[in-house]
Amino acid sequence: PTVTIQATDASAGESPLNTGRFRATRNGSLNGALAVTLTRSGTASAGVDYANFSTVLTIPQGHSFAEIPVTPINDATIEGNETVVLSILAQPTYLVGSPSSAVVTIASEDKPVVTIAATRYITENPLGTGHFTATRTGPTTSPLAVSFTRSGTALPGSDYVNFPTSGAFAVGQSTLVIPVTPIDDLLTEASETIILAVNPGSGYIVGTPGTATMAVRSDEMPTVTLTAPDPTATETGPTT
């Protein structure tokens, strides 16, 4: 018999799980079972990117074909599409026909990871601005909206200029910068903090660090006063 191979389902995916499929077909006599030897190649790794399978496929007696499923493993690694290639290896029991090889592509469909960092501190006087930087690691082929939760002892509108708690990465953009400008309120006060945390979202995973802290330093000069507890003094005697 002559044996050929094709991918009857050439597209597989990790998340949501989508199984691919190879089919080896024999033309000619269907008498007896036929063991078909295959060689495996491609960029995907068996046991890591997809469930391992035997590279000897047996077509049962009376049947013209047999199939091999390709079941992806969701490894949570951010990666591009990968391939599984099967080719028929010649054996004395059959002829190798055309097509003699086939490809199944595994789509990773992994979400990008978003983290956040901050300038260590900002100052009111002299004015020293800073910024939070959100970074996405992984696919940048589509826009990505991200939201944040703000907390800390510093108050927006009083200690620093208010800023939005959401933003969007453009296509191809891996960093999102949020500027922070302090307000000089002329008050002598201790350092205060601004804390920004990445909120969970459907289009991304919150990585580490998912929270960043920025200090707001007042740096106001203290006011010094002078008083005389005894404003009266004499030239003679014990009184001073």
Side-chain angles (χ1 to χ4, degrees):
T2 300
V3 179
T4 59
I5 191 168
Q6 61 180 326
T8 54
D9 187 348
S11 298
E14 291 182 4
S15 178
L17 180 64
N18 179 34
T19 301
R21 193 168 299 275
F22 291 101
R23 175 181 290 183
T25 302
R26 63 172 168 179
N27 296 317
S29 173
L30 304 183
N31 294 329
L34 179 65
V36 179
T37 305
L38 306 167
T39 59
R40 175 168 42 196
S41 59
T43 57
S45 299
V48 176
D49 298 305
Y50 60 93
N52 197 11
F53 54 78
S54 173
T55 54
V56 176
L57 177 63
T58 299
I59 301 176
Q61 178 176 337
H63 291 260
S64 62
F65 67 88
E67 295 183 330
I68 297 176
V70 179
T71 304
I73 296 173
N74 192 358
D75 52 15
T77 300
I78 298 172
E79 55 197 350
N81 293 349
E82 296 177 297
T83 58
V84 183
V85 181
L86 284 186
S87 301
I88 301 172
L89 186 65
Q91 295 291 348
T93 53
Y94 56 83
L95 299 175
V96 178
S98 181
S100 60
S101 65
V103 181
V104 168
T105 299
I106 300 174
S108 178
E109 298 180 311
D110 289 308
K111 296 178 180 179
V113 176
V114 177
T115 57
I116 192 165
T119 305
R120 191 159 56 101
Y121 63 86
I122 57 177
T123 56
E124 292 181 6
N125 184 19
L127 181 66
T129 61
H131 56 268
F132 289 95
T133 302
T135 301
R136 69 167 164 177
T137 303
T140 60
T141 53
S142 61
L144 179 65
V146 182
S147 66
F148 309 93
T149 296
R150 177 172 50 197
S151 60
T153 56
L155 300 176
S158 298
D159 298 305
Y160 58 92
V161 177
N162 196 11
F163 57 82
T165 54
S166 62
F169 294 91
V171 173
Q173 183 181 13
S174 59
T175 58
L176 184 64
V177 177
I178 303 169
V180 183
T181 303
I183 297 174
D184 189 358
D185 55 14
L186 302 178
L187 299 176
T188 302
E189 54 193 351
S191 290
E192 297 174 295
T193 57
I194 308 170
I195 303 171
L196 206 60
V198 182
N199 292 330
S202 59
Y204 58 90
I205 299 169
V206 179
T208 302
T211 302
T213 302
M214 180 185 297
V216 182
R217 293 185 176 179
S218 177
D219 290 336
E220 301 292 346
M221 298 297 291
T223 300
V224 179
T225 59
L226 180 65
T227 60
D230 186 352
T232 304
T234 59
E235 293 183 2
T236 60
T239 303
T240 58

